[in-house]
Amino acid sequence: MSPAHVFEPTYEAVKRRLMTGVWPAGARIEAARVADELGVSLTPVRDSLFRLDGERMVDFRPGEGFHVHRLTETEFRDLLELHQVLLLAAIAAAPNAAAAPVSADQPYPDRIADLFLAIAERTSNGEIVASIAAIGDRLQFSRHFDAAILGDVESEYRRIETAVADAEPQAAVRNLLLGYHERRAHEAARFARMLGAHQGGQA
């Protein structure tokens, strides 16, 4: 295993590329090329890819190497469902707590990810926080297509952000979160098609 001071930034850099769609779905990841681009040896890159394989963001096939995981329609629906369950558990556990503010100086996919993480962190339950973060990482690239598929997502984001920041009644926040996930589940097939058709490079 690589030293932590080398492994962690390498892992975060590789994961960020996956979360922003630098590589197309199913593409083979050339570990040696990534190592050159990041200015590190091959070992921390391979260690990072094996960890990401365990997190189901990368697929390792013996004799074929590492490939970007292709998110199917079924997986997308399943991830949305679990994400929803965990967020609803988070607001039930801390119904009157206000979430930490989210920086506005970020693109929409990062803001919505941070907002959901802030909701989770209200609970002080480390398992809920870690689970929502992990699912969010796997869904992150799909969020780059929200506006193209769903239209105005900024107003939806602001409604959720305001409800959470103002500690509105649990039922109101719950309904907003249900609506958020239902909209995306309804368009799961389109999300899967667009994710599969992406040719690489940030969306």
Side-chain angles (χ1 to χ4, degrees):
M1 175 63 76
S2 309
H5 73 279
V6 177
F7 171 76
E8 289 299 335
T10 302
Y11 164 78
E12 291 296 338
V14 175
K15 183 168 73 169
R16 189 66 186 172
R17 293 181 180 206
L18 293 165
M19 291 166 60
T20 55
V22 169
W23 300 302
R28 189 173 190 273
I29 302 172
E30 300 290 347
R33 178 179 296 178
V34 175
D36 286 343
E37 291 172 354
L38 297 179
V40 298
S41 69
L42 185 59
T43 300
V45 174
R46 287 184 60 83
D47 288 343
S48 298
L49 289 169
F50 275 119
R51 177 170 166 181
L52 290 161
D53 174 55
E55 295 171 2
R56 302 185 68 184
M57 295 182 71
V58 163
D59 297 323
F60 175 70
R61 298 193 283 271
E64 298 181 25
F66 298 95
H67 294 76
V68 177
H69 183 71
R70 188 184 298 275
L71 195 65
T72 67
E73 179 182 346
T74 298
E75 283 179 298
F76 183 72
R77 290 182 187 276
D78 289 348
L79 286 169
L80 281 174
E81 181 180 356
L82 183 54
H83 193 253
Q84 173 182 291
V85 167
L86 289 167
L87 282 172
L88 295 182
I91 63 169
N96 300 314
V102 173
S103 172
D105 298 327
Q106 301 183 89
Y108 162 80
D110 293 335
R111 280 184 284 121
I112 196 71
D114 285 353
L115 177 58
F116 290 144
L117 199 56
I119 293 172
E121 288 171 345
R122 302 188 314 171
T123 67
S124 299
N125 183 318
E127 293 303 319
I128 289 180
V129 174
S131 297
I132 287 177
I135 295 169
D137 287 348
R138 293 180 65 194
L139 287 170
Q140 183 70 358
F141 185 48
S142 71
R143 293 167 177 157
H144 289 76
F145 298 99
D146 276 10
I149 293 174
L150 302 171
D152 181 15
V153 293
E154 288 291 347
S155 60
E156 175 188 56
Y157 167 82
R158 287 192 295 272
R159 286 194 299 271
I160 299 172
E161 181 186 42
T162 300
V164 172
D166 294 347
E168 291 185 12
Q170 180 180 340
V173 179
R174 177 185 175 87
N175 286 338
L176 288 170
L177 293 175
L178 286 171
Y180 171 93
H181 290 86
E182 286 170 0
R183 288 182 74 197
R184 286 149 184 82
H186 183 71
E187 297 289 355
R190 289 184 65 193
F191 274 101
R193 284 197 300 271
M194 291 190 75
L195 288 166
H198 180 64
Q199 296 300 307
Q202 295 191 5

